[in-house]
Amino acid sequence: MAKIDILVIGGGIVGLTAAIAAAREGARVTVIDAAINAGSTANAGSLHVQMQSRFIRLYPEQAPNVEASLPLYLEAVKEWERLDAELGPFELVRKGGLMLAESQEQMAFLEKKAARERQRGLTVELLDRPALDRLAPWLGAQIVGAELCRDEGKLNPLVANVKLRQRAVALGVEFGIDRAVELVSRSAVTVLCASGARYVADRVILAAAWGVGELVKGLGLHLPVNAEPLHMNITEAGAGQINHLVQHAERTITLKQFGSGQIVIGGGWAAQSRGNVQVPAVLADSMLGNVALAARLVPAIGHLRVIRTWAGMNTTLDGMSLLGAVPGVERVIMAIPGDAGYTLGPLCGRTAACLALAHTPSIDVERLSARRFSA
Ligand SMILES: Cc1cc2nc3c(=O)[nH]c(=O)nc-3n(C[C@H](O)[C@H](O)[C@H](O)COP(=O)(O)OP(=O)(O)OC[C@H]3O[C@@H](n4cnc5c(N)ncnc54)[C@H](O)[C@@H]3O)c2cc1C
């Protein structure tokens, strides 16, 4: 068996970027992935920075953790820009994100949210309708204003995932499709897979999103990992030019336009879980509700046909990224991104690689460690 310095379990955006960062430092890296339900292959490519109203409504108890993490999102977008310049282009555009209001109550909500975000270092502005018209003349007549966060953006994850994988292969990273079923920690870490294969590595990075909870149970850590099935739509190409990432102060939606002209519509409508090892099923109500809302907010796209609809598995924890060793098992590093995990993915991946290589990470990981769960 070839010697593995770092075994990465989970080949989504976090695992891929961790593998790239470690291989760049000369480590021999293998990635094993069960190839099921990766949020990274289902996601919409929104680069989020401002707090999502959906998250505040659904998980109010976790909102303080997202709020405390806001500076990390600024760093995460810069990380994506660095990768885009080096390994892209990934169709990355950072023209800002608009969170729309359709009433004065919603504007008041955005004003309060913006005040909290400014305290965490975000540059956000509130726009009235005339200001919005200069920026986004394609919005429905009922929109009264919006919050603008200029750091937000979008990219094409289909392009980014392929280019990152190619980079990892070029760096000598080995890939295997298998399901890790057990971790046994000794001087090196032994990992047993569903196929019966056994890997021994000096360090292990757990980037298996919803799968991490099961893997660390045997090491005495209980994580509140939750698999959340979500819905997405994409339309045929439209002629317009929607440069911004569009969200709503109260309703669940993200909407953006790819370089192809297609509109990607999602933002957190439910899909139906069929367990972790099967892809979630699409719900007709989610599809219709999601696209009807999109057409109301941006009437100019109302005539476009939806050409594909799909569901994928998101992972939620406590709103904050988890980056650090399993307590008492220093060779096993966990890397689960917080809310909007594709945005945070490359920063979390590189940081996990730093921790596995015993380098000092560029971000403060103290708050993000597993101590908050083991305490
Ligand atoms: C529909 C949808 C839209 C989204 N849109 C956005 C967006 O626009 N912007 C944004 O920032 N975020 C978005 N997200 C969230 C984002 O996609 C995820 O948070 C992110 O991709 C998680 O990356 P990851 O690498 O941690 O895990 P994942 O990409 O989920 O990958 C985990 C991998 O681990 C594997 N695995 C699990 N258990 C095991 C095991 N025991 N052994 C081996 N392999 C295992 C799985 O097969 C999977 O391939 C979206 C999510 C969904 C579902």
Side-chain angles (χ1 to χ4, degrees):
M1 191 186 294
K3 186 176 181 310
I4 299 171
D5 295 322
I6 297 182
L7 179 69
V8 180
I9 303 180
I13 189 64
V14 175
L16 260 185
T17 50
I20 290 171
R24 267 185 179 146
E25 297 293 316
R28 282 160 295 193
V29 184
T30 295
V31 178
I32 54 169
D33 189 287
I36 34 169
N37 279 331
S40 302
T41 53
N43 90 99
S46 311
L47 293 178
H48 290 283
V49 175
Q50 63 178 304
M51 285 190 283
Q52 293 185 68
S53 57
R54 164 187 183 268
F55 193 88
I56 298 173
R57 274 197 323 279
L58 278 181
Y59 308 108
E61 73 290 354
Q62 297 180 21
N65 278 346
V66 175
E67 195 168 346
S69 302
L70 287 177
L72 209 61
Y73 288 83
L74 292 172
E75 284 306 311
V77 173
K78 285 186 200 148
E79 184 81 14
W80 265 117
E81 286 182 323
R82 274 194 290 274
L83 279 179
D84 183 65
E86 194 192 332
L87 307 176
F90 310 139
E91 298 180 19
L92 192 155
V93 175
R94 187 162 63 87
K95 292 270 165 85
L98 291 168
M99 193 169 285
L100 309 178
E102 292 181 278
S103 68
Q104 290 310 327
E105 290 72 28
Q106 290 170 6
M107 276 307 281
F109 164 82
L110 291 178
E111 273 166 30
K112 282 193 192 137
K113 185 169 88 72
R116 285 161 62 184
E117 289 163 341
R118 283 191 196 104
Q119 283 181 356
R120 299 285 178 172
L122 268 53
T123 309
V124 287
E125 304 154 49
L126 290 156
L127 306 178
D128 59 14
R129 181 67 207 215
L132 206 46
D133 275 338
R134 287 191 289 277
L135 216 62
W138 30 264
L139 289 169
Q142 79 283 12
I143 310 293
V144 298
E147 179 182 353
L148 169 65
C149 174
R150 291 187 192 271
D151 293 302
E152 292 194 310
K154 57 183 179 176
L155 56 76
N156 186 334
L158 300 176
V159 176
N161 290 341
V162 169
K163 291 195 174 179
L164 291 171
R165 168 94 179 205
Q166 286 168 346
R167 177 63 172 162
V169 169
L171 285 164
V173 174
E174 302 271 344
F175 285 88
I177 295 182
D178 212 335
R179 180 153 205 216
V181 290
E182 200 185 346
L183 283 159
V184 188
S185 165
R186 296 207 190 93
S187 55
V189 189
T190 304
V191 176
L192 185 63
C193 287
S195 64
R198 190 177 277 270
Y199 294 85
V200 181
D202 189 40
R203 309 272 152 147
V204 169
I205 295 176
L206 295 181
W210 48 264
V212 175
E214 276 303 310
L215 288 170
V216 297
K217 261 188 198 159
L219 301 177
L221 181 63
H222 291 270
L223 295 177
V225 180
N226 176 40
E228 180 186 46
L230 298 179
H231 180 94
M232 288 299 311
N233 305 292
I234 189 164
T235 71
E236 63 187 331
Q241 194 56 57
I242 300 174
N243 287 321
H244 297 89
L245 167 63
V246 179
Q247 299 185 76
H248 193 277
E250 207 171 282
R251 304 295 310 276
T252 297
I253 193 157
T254 59
L255 184 159
K256 74 186 80 67
Q257 193 166 23
F258 276 173
S260 62
Q262 292 168 282
I263 313 290
V264 184
I265 304 165
W269 286 67
Q272 186 176 21
S273 177
R274 298 191 297 169
N276 287 341
V277 292
Q278 272 186 291
V279 176
V282 163
L283 295 172
D285 282 356
S286 286
M287 180 192 156
L288 295 172
N290 197 193
V291 297
L293 176 59
R296 196 182 88 207
L297 300 176
V298 185
I301 65 168
H303 67 288
L304 294 176
R305 288 171 299 178
V306 172
I307 58 164
R308 192 160 72 88
T309 188
W310 70 97
M313 200 66 98
N314 189 31
T315 298
T316 68
L317 188 59
D318 63 348
M320 204 153 65
S321 303
L322 173 61
L323 286 167
V326 174
V329 194
E330 294 307 310
R331 289 169 184 274
V332 178
I333 311 293
M334 296 172 290
I336 304 180
D339 184 48
Y342 199 74
T343 304
L344 293 170
L347 184 62
C348 288
R350 184 169 59 79
T351 303
C354 276
L355 294 171
L357 294 166
H359 295 170
T360 307
S362 60
I363 58 169
D364 180 7
V365 288
E366 193 54 35
R367 276 181 60 85
L368 309 176
S369 81
R371 262 191 288 278
R372 66 191 195 266
F373 300 112
S374 55

